[in-house]
């Protein structure tokens, strides 16, 4: 689905400083979110933030990222997906940050244009050195008035191809690479009769408010099952195929213990969507049990649409009224769009 020209969906998030793993000794240092944003700014200025990854669209876990500088990727054939910080801005007081995350995706279909009157279509192929691109704005406020027990307010522009399941592992991967040699983030643990050196990594945790639909579904019932669907099944045709068979698909269903907590429900759905995508299933179907009407309510979406989860089950707001049409990709932070995102962050009723 192409990005809309007149409006954008904005995902509302809470960000907080944490560690991975979370259970560490009480005297171990934990960086503040201000310090973590400082690290990201330093990484951006260093230039080594171009992360290459495969076509499945999932960023490798921190510690396994393939990071390059622009000099190392320039001139090479564009065969891998790549994500990088295209622009980084903060105010002088370090209470507001605006990041533009850009993705180059050679696996995306070329844009096409159709002439309705003539019923003709043309596709536009990238020129030499180009690839299909998308960009997404991340706006973070570290103002004390925007802090709660769940963290600081943030807003992420929802763009097909760039979801928080890509952005947050990428950002935490950059933080890991910048801190992995820091001796502060290590300690000794007593294991039987010897002390073992242990390490942990600073990271940024994220959460979202549930959408109205998820809240309503869980108030009336619970998450019941998740089903993987593959419509690309081979061997479904041939001379021996029964002509009565219209369609063949492969399905894998996970029956769950009743889940009525929205955070746990989102975690399970996101985890299983990733699993379905890694196993090359086409769709994922989420089923909720409605106790009031004694029936099941199902929602199906493509596994490749990482932002579908955010649209369906996390609270998002729509911003519009821009002076010019919006593009799907930018090189620098779009000031008018970032201001609209800040208005959402500054609106108490949205949180």
């Amino acid at each position: 689905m192409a990005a809309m020209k007149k409006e954008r969906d904005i995902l509302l998030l809470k960000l907080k400083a944490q560690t991975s793993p979370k259970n560490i000794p009480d005297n171990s240092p934990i960086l503040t979110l201000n310090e973590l944003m400082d690290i990201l700014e330093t990484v951006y200025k260093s230039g080594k933030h171009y992360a290459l990854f495969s076509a499945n669209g999932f960023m490798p876990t921190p510690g396994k990222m393939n990071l390059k500088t622009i000099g190392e990727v320039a001139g090479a054939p564009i065969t891998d997906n790549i994500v990088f910080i295209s622009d980084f801005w903060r105010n002088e007081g370090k209470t507001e940050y605006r990041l533009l995350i850009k993705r180059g995706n050679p696996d995306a279909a070329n844009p096409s244009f159709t002439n309705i009157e003539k019923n003709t279509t043309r596709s536009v192929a990238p020129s030499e050195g180009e690839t299909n691109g998308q960009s997404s704005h991340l706006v973070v406020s570290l103002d004390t008035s925007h802090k709660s027990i769940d963290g600081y307010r943030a807003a992420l522009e929802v763009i097909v191809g760039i979801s928080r399941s890509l952005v947050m592992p990428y950002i935490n991967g950059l933080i890991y690479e910048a801190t992995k040699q820091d001796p502060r983030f290590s300690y000794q643990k007593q294991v039987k009769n010897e002390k073992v050196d242990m390490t942990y990594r600073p990271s940024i945790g994220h959460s979202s408010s549930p959408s109205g639909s998820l809240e309503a579904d869980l108030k009336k019932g619970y998450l019941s099952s998740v089903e993987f669907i593959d419509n690309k099944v081979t061997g479904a045709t041939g001379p021996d195929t029964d002509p009565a068979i219209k369609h063949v698909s492969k399905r894998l269903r996970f029956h769950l213990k009743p889940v009525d907590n929205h955070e746990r429900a989102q975690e399970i759905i996101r985890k299983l969507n990733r699993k379905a995508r890694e196993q090359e299933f086409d769709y994922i179907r989420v089923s909720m049990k409605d106790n009031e009407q004694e029936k099941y309510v199902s929602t199906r979406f493509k596994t490749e649409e990482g932002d579908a989860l955010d649209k369906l089950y996390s609270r998002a707001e729509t911003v519009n009224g821009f002076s010019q049409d919006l593009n799907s990709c930018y090189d620098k932070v779009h000031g008018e769009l970032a201001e609209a995102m800040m208005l959402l962050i500054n609106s108490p009723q949205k949180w």
Side-chain angles (χ1 to χ4, degrees), residues 114-221:
T114 187
N115 184 308
I116 304 300
E117 183 179 352
K118 298 179 180 179
N119 193 23
T120 58
T121 300
R122 65 183 178 90
S123 296
V124 182
S127 301
E128 173 122 16
E130 294 181 333
T131 187
N132 285 283
Q134 302 98 18
S135 66
S136 172
H137 290 77
L138 173 64
V139 177
V140 181
S141 174
L142 299 187
D143 190 288
T144 53
S145 64
H146 295 155
K147 184 181 180 181
S148 70
I149 190 171
D150 295 319
Y152 288 92
R153 297 177 189 174
L156 178 66
E157 178 188 5
V158 178
I159 287 285
V160 173
I162 308 181
S163 63
R164 62 168 160 165
S165 61
L166 176 72
V167 171
M168 296 311 300
Y170 166 65
I171 285 176
N172 281 322
L174 296 182
I175 293 172
Y176 170 82
E177 291 296 329
T179 59
K180 64 182 180 180
Q181 302 297 336
D182 194 324
R184 290 181 298 168
F185 308 118
S186 63
Y187 62 92
Q188 288 192 322
K189 180 179 180 180
Q190 190 74 31
V191 178
K192 295 183 178 180
N193 296 325
E194 62 177 333
K195 290 186 177 181
V196 178
D197 292 329
M198 306 292 292
T199 62
Y200 63 97
R201 60 180 175 87
S203 65
I204 298 177
H206 61 95
S207 61
S208 64
S209 298
S211 67
S213 62
L214 179 61
E215 282 187 312
D217 288 343
L218 293 180
K219 281 181 180 178
K220 295 186 295 183

Side-chain angles (χ1 to χ4, degrees), residues 4 90 108 122 147 192 204-206 215 226 245 247 266 270 276 293 301 315:
M4 301 300 290
R90 63 165 174 80
R122 65 183 178 90
K147 184 181 180 181
K192 295 183 178 180
I204 298 177
H206 61 95
E215 282 187 312
V226 176
I245 298 176
H247 176 71
Q266 289 185 83
R270 197 170 298 280
Q293 300 185 28
F301 52 86
R315 182 167 183 180

Side-chain angles (χ1 to χ4, degrees), residues 5-7 319-327 330 334-337 340:
K5 295 191 297 184
K6 304 293 185 182
E7 62 185 33
V319 293
N320 50 33
F322 299 100
S323 59
Q324 294 181 332
D325 289 348
L326 299 172
N327 298 327
Y330 288 97
H334 187 287
E336 195 176 2
L337 178 53

Side-chain angles (χ1 to χ4, degrees), residues 293-312:
Q293 300 185 28
E294 288 297 320
K295 68 177 184 179
Y296 291 90
V297 179
S298 298
T299 303
R300 191 179 85 158
F301 52 86
K302 291 184 178 179
T303 56
E304 66 184 24
E305 294 180 355
D307 59 340
L309 286 170
D310 290 337
K311 290 181 179 179
L312 287 171

Side-chain angles (χ1 to χ4, degrees), residues 14 66 187 229 265 305:
K14 293 286 185 70
N66 184 10
Y187 62 92
I229 304 171
E305 294 180 355

